Amino acid sequence: MGRVARPAPQARARLLISCLLTSEERIHMKRIGVLTSGGDGPGLNPCIRAVVRMGIHLGMSVMGIRRGYAGLIAGEIEELTLRSVGGILGRGGTFLSTSRSAEFTTPQGQLTALRNLHRFDIEGLVVIGGNGSLTGAQKLHEQGVKVIGLPGTIDNDLGGTDITIGVDTALNTILDAVDKIKDTASSHNRAFIIETMGRNCGYLALMGALAGGAELALIPENNDISLEAVSNLLKDVYVRGKNHCIIVVAEGWKPGTAALAAYLNAQKEQQGFEVRTTVLGHVQRGGSPTAYDRILATRLGAAAAEALYAGRSGVMIGWIDGKIAETPLEEVIKPTNKIKPDVLRLARVMER
Ligand code: F6P
């Protein structure tokens, strides 16, 4: 009888792991891919790490795709190991890099992406990103690719989850800025307009205002506060003897920060306060993820690898009422309102 060839070390490890698994857990998929796409945010690295570690635990190999869909089209793909995701848990950004790929929105771009998935034997894909990225994931799902989406955006503007990965860290960054601006505002007796990111969603602005004790939050979901009403609020705050007035404005609020600043500056004599503006910008996207974001990202990332392994596709893994929840991608990318009426009411009562 001829000698049976010993499997290579990596295959041996896979065999060993598969022996430790229950029959339901036995290997279904051999190789999956993971990419981050769209705007980055804190928590993407812990999320990739969880996909890789759970994937390997289940006996799959995990390929990292660089620069999101742009890298999938260009074939920038390499295997990730337990070691290659070591030391990234606390790092902001995404070590795989990200991009917004215009090419992927074209049929030719999607075809090249599909070819590369076949070329690299990738049977399932985890896409971590926001609305645009998950719209791309849905396109791949429609073309027969097994895809699981994960909510990675500071905007918190997706359905199918109470909170997205990165929001908690971004909120803490906003809070830090509000606290610091309040110091200088009080010293100079000034009003400040602080603009937050969030695209068309006012979640970051409202929650930042609530946590930071701002005098007003202006958000697209509650757009019935006129410029005149804001000016009257400044006057009222001044007359009541406060030495600052903080207004947190979501970038999606209309008519926008610049129009508000111009209006308030023109009313300076009547309002009492001089007005300054701070646009927080991309600082909100950086920084080491908070404990909450690391744990959320780890839970969702691990669940995504498990879902692919079990053969599921076309869903986003989110967090609803303290539990993992799967929602069809086509649902999560529909416009959604994340502002709960009771939270808005609470914020309005606190704004004094
Ligand atoms: O979607 C995340 C986000 O940071 C939004 O809040 C913001 O409107 C946008 O991305 C900014 O995009 P960019 O980094 O391409 O300027």
Side-chain angles (χ1 to χ4, degrees):
M1 227 165 81
R3 282 172 65 123
V4 179
R6 269 170 75 78
Q10 230 175 16
R12 268 210 314 273
R14 250 180 246 145
L15 202 64
L16 178 69
I17 289 166
S18 103
C19 292
L20 299 173
L21 300 172
T22 63
S23 55
E24 289 91 64
E25 283 179 332
R26 289 262 140 69
I27 297 168
H28 300 169
M29 236 179 226
K30 290 198 181 64
R31 176 173 282 182
I32 62 171
V34 56
L35 62 81
T36 48
S37 159
D40 67 336
L44 298 185
N45 282 327
C47 194
I48 300 163
R49 174 179 175 269
V51 172
V52 171
R53 294 208 166 161
M54 180 54 83
I56 292 174
H57 167 76
L58 293 170
M60 302 185 287
S61 63
V62 185
M63 306 300 281
I65 299 156
R66 301 212 163 263
R67 295 195 304 117
Y69 293 118
L72 182 56
I73 292 169
E76 295 169 27
I77 301 171
E78 64 193 49
E79 182 157 3
L80 298 174
T81 61
L82 292 176
R83 267 195 83 177
S84 56
V85 292
I88 64 168
L89 192 59
R91 271 168 52 191
T94 159
F95 90 106
L96 284 177
S97 299
T98 184
S99 66
R100 300 189 199 279
S101 170
E103 200 183 350
F104 186 71
T105 59
T106 67
Q108 184 53 48
Q110 284 165 28
L111 188 66
T112 314
L114 282 175
R115 283 207 185 111
N116 277 335
L117 287 172
H118 288 301
R119 185 153 75 92
F120 286 86
D121 289 327
I122 296 172
E123 297 163 284
L125 184 64
V126 177
V127 173
I128 313 169
N131 203 290
S133 311
L134 299 184
T135 304
Q138 169 67 13
K139 287 266 176 300
L140 288 175
H141 169 69
E142 284 163 12
Q143 292 174 54
V145 179
K146 290 224 181 279
V147 188
I148 299 290
L150 287 175
T153 168
I154 64 164
D155 296 343
N156 205 24
D157 60 349
L158 292 169
T161 192
D162 292 340
I163 192 139
T164 55
I165 298 164
V167 169
D168 187 64
T169 311
L171 256 181
N172 279 292
T173 302
I174 293 167
L175 179 58
D176 185 49
V178 170
D179 286 347
K180 284 176 174 154
I181 287 172
K182 208 184 261 186
D183 288 344
T184 174
S186 307
S187 306
H188 283 266
N189 234 291
R190 282 174 174 161
F192 265 84
I193 299 167
I194 303 175
E195 185 188 287
T196 65
M197 277 189 169
R199 217 175 275 276
N200 298 315
C201 177
Y203 187 89
L204 286 177
L206 184 68
M207 294 312 204
L210 188 58
E215 277 66 33
L216 182 64
L218 294 170
I219 57 172
E221 294 85 348
N222 184 227
N223 219 349
D224 56 1
I225 302 175
S226 66
L227 295 179
E228 193 189 359
V230 181
S231 172
N232 286 338
L233 171 100
L234 254 66
K235 210 184 300 170
D236 178 54
V237 169
Y238 190 82
V239 168
R240 282 193 284 119
K242 275 193 156 182
N243 57 5
H244 64 262
C245 183
I246 307 290
I247 304 165
V248 183
V249 182
E251 66 175 345
W253 176 79
K254 299 276 183 290
T257 305
L260 176 65
Y263 185 89
L264 294 182
N265 274 317
Q267 311 293 314
K268 202 173 99 189
E269 299 310 321
Q270 297 94 293
Q271 289 156 186
F273 286 117
E274 240 188 275
V275 181
R276 293 284 189 276
T277 302
T278 301
V279 176
L280 296 181
H282 289 79
V283 70
Q284 296 160 95
R285 291 232 301 254
S288 177
T290 57
Y292 184 91
D293 267 330
R294 294 182 199 197
I295 293 166
L296 178 71
T298 302
R299 280 185 158 135
L300 300 191
E306 286 176 314
L308 268 186
Y309 176 75
R312 295 200 289 283
S313 177
V315 295
M316 186 195 81
I317 310 270
W319 190 249
I320 300 178
D321 292 338
K323 280 194 225 73
I324 296 281
E326 288 182 17
T327 310
L329 284 167
E330 57 190 343
E331 291 298 319
V332 307
I333 55 184
K334 284 182 186 159
T336 177
N337 186 348
K338 295 302 263 251
I339 305 300
K340 297 218 166 82
D342 59 324
V343 177
L344 181 60
R345 182 178 163 269
L346 181 66
R348 295 300 182 225
V349 172
M350 295 299 136
E351 292 166 350
R352 296 293 300 154

